[in-house]
Amino acid sequence: MTGHGTDDARPDNFIEQIIQKDNASGKFEGRVVTRFPPEPNGFLHIGHAKSICLNFGVAQRFGGACFLRMDDTNPLKESAEYVAAIQRDVRWLGFAWGERETHASDYFEQLYIFAEELIQRGRAFVCSLTLEEIRATRGTLTEPGTPSPYRDRSVEENLDLFRRMRAGEFPDGAHVLRAKIDMASPNINMRDPVLYRIRRAHHQRTGDAWCIYPMYDYTHCLSDYLEGITHSLCTLEFEDHRPLYDWVLDTLATPHHPQQIEFSRLNLEYTVLSKRMLNTLVADGHVDGWDDPRMPTIAGMRRRGVRPEALQEFCTRIGVTRSDGTVEMSSLERCIRDDLEAMPRALAVVNPLKVVLTNYPDDREEWFRAPNHPQVAALGERDVPFCGELFIERDDFVFEPPNKKYKRLSPGAEVRLRYGYIVRCDEVITGNDGEAVELRCSVDLESRAGGANAERKVKGVIHWVSARHGVAAELRLYDRLFTEPNPAALKDGRHFTEVLNPESLVIREGYVEPYLAGLAPGSRVQFERSGWFYLEPERATAARPVFNRIITLRDSWN
Ligand code: ATP
Ligand code: MG
């Protein structure tokens, strides 16, 4: 069965199946309202993209609506910059929330009124234990907790104390508001959880209006209720919180009760997807900000040159289930490559070695016609300039071929220049430490189309750029950020920052075909044999273009 109102042929995931059933039974009168609820304490990452695609995707599929809600209940860690970054990234991923932009802080007054109501109903009390004492009396998985000595305060006393907490009469930590549920519950979340704490912190939206802030578990279910959310989709670690979610709404007898449904979070190899760890990478200067192109953040991938279509496709391919697992980095990379496959191609030399063609006239130049894509004729053709001085890839030359199959250049060997002539390496000029600094080659001027030797076969074809026409460019070769598949949980006890890949960014001075210098910022192009590159708009200057390598042509890690 597939979702109605859509031509999307993908089969329903388990959440969509639940929604189909709810719609059939009339549980929410056929309404489907979801939300994506990030805490603005960092940038969004690829794991969030999964949740965004799910929440907005489900709403689209069923003709419903999705809220973008900032879950901003911890002012110490949140900021307006993070709010702006989150909005930018959700929009860039391809989703629109229209009027439905909310903030948990919009509901602080209503949440406060609900808290007084819980007190009135005898279901919440002001506890004057410290947070450490509360933790110490919570019990364990096998032993029940110990009730707070303040648990039986009267409704009047609780109301009075809670109002004075709000009024700022007590220092931080003096009291908290706790739900009165069951200290012997097998679920620790139900052992009189804290609902409010005193915290004198400036909030990025409410300023200094509040000195008490509600806890996540209390805020989330009520925000869902207030927005008329029908299906509250969250990751599996919240499964144990669902009884509390339901308890708050049941105890307040809200006229509408959203359904929390859990799915497994995305874990991805060779990176970390915890905001705490990502924050460490930024704060300790291991990367150049949250949007460093090596980060698994949406903003980082955007700067690197990944397109939103690739991330959407990745989220579709990984699907939504309840089974935990880790997705291979190569699956994400495959989506990125598939998405870039139709980009135009060009010649660029990443690590240049000079070649002088000894029998090619000094004052001569030619322009070779070349297709922009071997399969996509619609991308057209261009002319590539050629002359007697070229750059080739340093890796395309060796002094001693490793075996008979070696196809590229070595002393005495021949190769074909892409779109051009066959050349033979006659002489190698070396520097002080013996490395090649220039090759002197002779060119077979009859070896192009129309020449007597046009059909002559040589083993290899290499790419090149005319030294006279080529444009110097900064080529930023990005690679995986970590050398270990699971940096967040290393078996040998090393810290994740000890397995950063020292070659996650290698900067090269290369040469590109001249037409690439005039490319619009934001363009993507495949440099033959090197990978797909992105002309990052923020770095584009007329003098010297800067290209980010989005991804290599093939997986070199497996
Ligand atoms: P933290 O790393 O600080 O625990 P978080 O990753 O849970 O934070 P939130 O801003 O609370 O960040 O997440 C917003 C939403 O994105 C939540 O609904 C959460 O379940 C979802 N989400 C976060 N990480 C992932 C992930 N790796 N896979 C799928 N969904 C995720
Ligand atoms: Mg969270």
Side-chain angles (χ1 to χ4, degrees), residues 246-475:
D246 290 333
W247 181 90
V248 172
L249 297 181
D250 287 340
T251 306
L252 288 167
T254 54
H256 163 71
H257 191 132
Q259 168 77 53
Q260 175 177 310
I261 306 171
E262 307 86 17
F263 63 96
S264 62
R265 66 191 293 120
L266 169 68
N267 301 304
L268 186 62
E269 277 185 346
Y270 292 98
T271 193
V272 292
L273 294 183
S274 134
K275 275 197 250 176
R276 185 178 52 78
M277 290 180 179
L278 294 173
N279 193 35
T280 300
L281 293 175
V282 175
D284 296 351
H286 295 293
V287 294
D288 183 19
W290 283 93
D291 63 349
D292 184 300
R294 294 167 292 184
M295 290 281 270
T297 53
I298 295 176
M301 290 190 277
R302 175 177 59 232
R303 279 193 65 189
R304 182 147 159 179
V306 173
R307 302 198 320 150
E309 289 83 350
L311 299 186
Q312 286 182 13
E313 175 63 19
F314 173 69
C315 291
T316 301
R317 288 190 199 171
I318 57 175
V320 179
T321 68
R322 281 180 58 86
S323 45
D324 267 321
T326 300
V327 175
E328 290 180 358
M329 183 57 119
S330 54
S331 324
L332 172 60
E333 292 173 342
R334 200 168 308 123
C335 292
I336 296 171
R337 288 190 184 102
D338 289 353
D339 178 60
L340 294 171
E341 185 47 46
M343 295 296 144
R345 304 197 183 171
L347 299 178
V349 170
V350 171
N351 195 7
L353 174 61
K354 184 87 175 281
V355 171
V356 173
L357 302 177
T358 48
N359 61 333
Y360 194 85
D362 246 3
D363 53 356
R364 184 166 167 198
E365 69 170 40
E366 291 177 82
W367 292 76
F368 300 153
R369 201 95 188 116
N372 289 328
H373 194 288
Q375 281 93 39
V376 187
L379 287 176
E381 296 181 329
R382 70 192 185 287
D383 289 317
V384 185
F386 180 82
C387 72
E389 287 184 20
L390 312 170
F391 291 114
I392 66 164
E393 210 66 73
R394 192 161 278 280
D395 289 350
D396 284 343
F397 170 80
V398 290
F399 283 100
E400 297 276 349
N403 53 49
K404 286 213 166 72
K405 285 191 192 142
Y406 184 77
K407 289 190 186 137
R408 302 179 201 164
L409 218 44
S410 59
E414 282 188 318
V415 292
R416 184 177 285 281
L417 299 173
R418 187 89 162 121
Y419 309 119
Y421 299 109
I422 292 173
V423 295
R424 187 182 59 228
C425 177
D426 302 318
E427 188 187 347
V428 184
I429 302 192
T430 52
N432 288 337
D433 42 4
E435 88 285 17
V437 293
E438 184 181 308
L439 307 182
R440 305 211 139 224
C441 298
S442 48
V443 49
D444 176 354
L445 291 166
E446 289 299 319
S447 58
R448 286 200 77 232
N453 298 333
E455 300 303 316
R456 193 154 77 81
K457 289 269 174 287
V458 288
K459 273 195 267 179
V461 181
I462 64 172
H463 62 279
W464 51 276
V465 169
S466 158
R468 257 177 246 155
H469 305 85
V471 174
E474 178 177 320
L475 304 175

Side-chain angles (χ1 to χ4, degrees), residues 36-39 41 45 47-48 50-51 233-235 263 265-266 273-275:
F36 172 63
E39 180 178 0
N41 63 350
H45 54 62
H48 294 114
K50 173 176 179 174
S51 179
L233 314 179
C234 62
T235 40
F263 63 96
R265 66 191 293 120
L266 169 68
L273 294 183
S274 134
K275 275 197 250 176

Side-chain angles (χ1 to χ4, degrees), residues 39 71 216 237-238 275:
E39 180 178 0
D71 171 25
Y216 172 85
E237 66 271 23
F238 289 101
K275 275 197 250 176

